[in-house]
Amino acid sequence: MSVRALWFTEGRLHVIDQRELPKRTRIRHLRRVEEVADAIRTLTVRGAPAIGVAAAFGMVLASRERGWTPDRAARLLRSTRPTAYDLFVGIETVRAAWARGEDPGRAAMAYRDQVVDECHEIGEAGAPLFLRRPRVLTHCNAGALATVEWGTSLAPLRVAKSRGAPIFVWVDETRPLLQGSRLTAWELLQEEIPHAVIADNAAGHFMRRGEIDAVIVGADRIVSNGDFANKIGTYEKAVLAHENHIPFYVAAPWTTFDVQRRSGASIPVEERSADEVRHFAGASVAPAKSPVRNPAFDVTPARYVTAYITPGGVATPARVGALARRHGLANGLTR
Amino acid sequence: MSVRALWFTEGRLHVIDQRELPKRTRIRHLRRVEEVADAIRTLTVRGAPAIGVAAAFGMVLASRERGWTPDRAARLLRSTRPTAYDLFVGIETVRAAWARGEDPGRAAMAYRDQVVDECHEIGEAGAPLFLRRPRVLTHCNAGALATVEWGTSLAPLRVAKSRGAPIFVWVDETRPLLQGSRLTAWELLQEEIPHAVIADNAAGHFMRRGEIDAVIVGADRIVSNGDFANKIGTYEKAVLAHENHIPFYVAAPWTTFDVQRRSGASIPVEERSADEVRHFAGASVAPAKSPVRNPAFDVTPARYVTAYITPGGVATPARVGALARRHGLANGLTR
């Protein structure tokens, strides 16, 4: 079993504080929707599928507090982060149920179960791709911590390993917030999956030397032509994989698909605080007066993607939009 | 005037301790060849041209101590780092003079003056390339700190700015040791050159958005077909520049050219300690048990280089080997 990023019991949302890993495994107990919004904004909980589920439970907490309407709670939670589509799907799923007079708790549980099931389906669908390409680079964290459990990009690797493939994961450290070295490496250690952490700068070097067989990443938003947003640096790895004739895979549940949007050019990209770059684990690493640019995501054009690993199977860029529509995603936020 | 990385007076080599920048400007005063070897090994002094000059003065210190022969001192200094060619040229230049009975101090001074002059020639040769392409990405530090003064990659930008070009430098932070955010940003601040520090992961994003007009880097070793070694991550930037139709320039003095070697495949690439990736400023940023790979350099094939900016002018990959030979480099280490 993989770790769990969050769970809901006794009227509280419990989340592993991902800012403190790998040093400390501290659980935060959230009782109010504003605490959930804050946890999402501060990256206490992060990863597109996980923040969708956290926000769904945030809606549940709002429905049990005084003074919140479905629309007002949704507005608060939507304002936390702009790029991950799952966030908006999770909020809308519970908002619609609540507004219809249904039980928000039941809607959120169903939403969570669906995300968890889809991660397992991604694992099954993707595993065959890695049986003969076992040395796999990943960027950021799209493991259990990003997705409640099991993961998106790590799911096929977990399944391939369980089938005897000699999986070895190259872990990009993923500056500025080090989700690779802090979170992915920590997950892989828990499950004894062989791996090595590298500076983001070193991935191309190992690709060129023939030491990387494939690349797999998660996604924050995939639009209907296959363009997708993911953690800053993903575009660089996609171009390098293409140049080195290495397959590049994107793994995501249906909640990540924004099929109403036709190309990646219009995906909103969050810019975060300069201090994330100026400081490194609490220490100052750049002159305080030097300006900084800190986009949290980039958009990778579909032409660099070999295939998408979805709960409905593996699809090429030309077919992924149609596949998503067939799975009932024609109307964007409704599932 | 730009800053100076090192100077030799009163029988001592004085170097700015580059490990402590930008927090503190501390000068180390080295009296013995073993101290110089240690300063090179620990990156107290770094940058290919600068370590060549430091090693040349290390030979001078050895010649004034008891117990050293030219060969023994050269052996010690050669063992410090394997990739930068300038190191071996600097050592050999003074070793040969000492062995011939000439004054090692005079040989080292001449070597240093030549490197400084060549950096100014690089500035003049390269400046016209940036007058209409003023938004320039650089990786690592190839400024004054890396080259005694003026720099290689920063030299053409300094000259272009003095001629009125609206130079803006995108500074890759350059993990693991952050020579970009710590050193290049510091130099640019001293001289009031507009710039922004970015995570290495963000360079491709800004290239794709059309915000970067050109890329310029220094080099640790350039071989006769134009392949070159430089700080890890350089290869990634070169591929991304190529993919985005952005010119990619390499600036270096003649001491960086290893013309006896025919391709980059045989350049020795230093792997450094895992702790450079696992820790920063005393803080752990990855699980202690996670394995790490930490190559300090990569090798970029000549086909990604638009042109080399040398003291003898600007040359394409097809011509740079011949140009280097014309400048008297046919015999490798002799100048």
Side-chain angles (χ1 to χ4, degrees), chain A residues 17-327:
Chain A
D17 189 334
Q18 300 194 29
R19 299 167 303 178
E20 305 210 11
L21 288 172
K23 208 177 259 179
R24 248 186 310 272
T25 309
R26 189 198 299 259
I27 313 298
R28 303 278 172 190
H29 311 283
L30 313 175
R31 297 162 188 275
R32 297 168 45 236
V33 61
E34 281 169 328
E35 292 173 347
V36 175
D38 197 53
I40 294 170
R41 200 178 285 117
T42 58
L43 279 53
T44 303
V45 56
R46 36 103 0 236
I51 68 177
V53 173
F57 285 115
M59 292 295 292
V60 175
L61 294 176
S63 74
R64 297 174 184 181
E65 289 178 69
R66 285 177 181 224
W68 292 97
T69 63
D71 283 347
R72 205 178 138 234
R75 220 161 29 239
L76 168 67
L77 289 163
R78 280 191 213 111
S79 72
T80 53
R81 300 193 69 193
T83 304
Y85 195 62
D86 311 60
L87 175 69
F88 303 97
V89 178
I91 294 165
E92 179 57 19
T93 300
V94 181
R95 189 206 62 77
W98 180 4
R100 284 193 303 266
E102 297 167 17
D103 176 8
R106 181 180 293 235
M109 297 285 190
Y111 180 86
R112 179 207 56 199
D113 291 348
Q114 179 82 17
V115 168
V116 170
D117 287 351
E118 289 185 5
C119 286
H120 285 269
E121 287 163 6
I122 287 166
E124 294 296 323
L129 299 169
F130 303 98
L131 298 177
R132 294 196 185 160
R133 291 184 172 275
R135 301 171 304 169
V136 185
L137 174 75
T138 191
H139 189 70
C140 196
N141 172 266
L145 290 166
T147 64
V148 184
E149 66 176 47
W150 209 243
T152 52
S153 74
L154 295 190
L157 308 184
R158 290 185 157 108
V159 175
K161 180 165 192 281
S162 75
R163 295 191 188 154
I167 294 293
F168 178 91
V169 185
W170 291 95
V171 180
D172 265 359
E173 66 173 9
T174 316
R175 275 286 283 162
L177 294 178
L178 303 164
Q179 292 93 338
S181 56
R182 293 193 303 108
L183 307 178
T184 299
W186 181 80
E187 280 195 39
L188 295 171
L189 262 187
Q190 306 302 307
E191 301 179 49
E192 300 179 353
I193 298 176
H195 64 282
V197 177
I198 55 175
D200 304 301
N201 283 323
H205 170 76
F206 288 113
M207 286 188 203
R208 205 168 89 79
R209 284 167 52 134
E211 299 189 43
I212 295 176
D213 299 323
V215 182
I216 188 167
V217 296
D220 285 82
R221 188 184 297 229
I222 303 173
V223 301
S224 70
N225 75 345
D227 293 353
F228 74 104
N230 192 45
K231 180 56 52 203
I232 189 75
T234 300
Y235 165 67
E236 296 201 350
K237 303 311 149 185
V239 168
L240 285 154
H242 186 261
E243 187 75 6
N244 286 282
H245 312 290
I246 295 168
F248 183 92
Y249 299 109
V250 181
W254 295 124
T255 49
T256 305
F257 284 79
D258 178 5
V259 292
Q260 296 292 80
R261 208 177 285 260
R262 286 221 286 259
S263 102
S266 65
I267 298 176
V269 169
E270 179 180 10
E271 285 229 16
R272 294 184 61 87
S273 158
D275 283 345
E276 292 182 356
V277 174
R278 274 205 207 102
H279 292 86
F280 199 104
S284 159
V285 294
K289 288 184 184 159
S290 279
V292 163
R293 291 290 299 277
N294 183 24
F297 303 94
D298 57 26
V299 175
T300 300
R303 67 176 178 279
Y304 297 109
V305 178
T306 306
Y308 304 81
I309 306 172
T310 79
V314 176
T316 61
R319 296 188 172 272
V320 72
L323 181 68
R325 284 202 174 75
R326 253 198 286 137
H327 278 79

Side-chain angles (χ1 to χ4, degrees), chain B residues 83-95:
Chain B
T83 304
Y85 195 62
D86 312 60
L87 175 68
F88 303 98
V89 179
I91 294 165
E92 180 57 19
T93 300
V94 181
R95 189 207 62 77

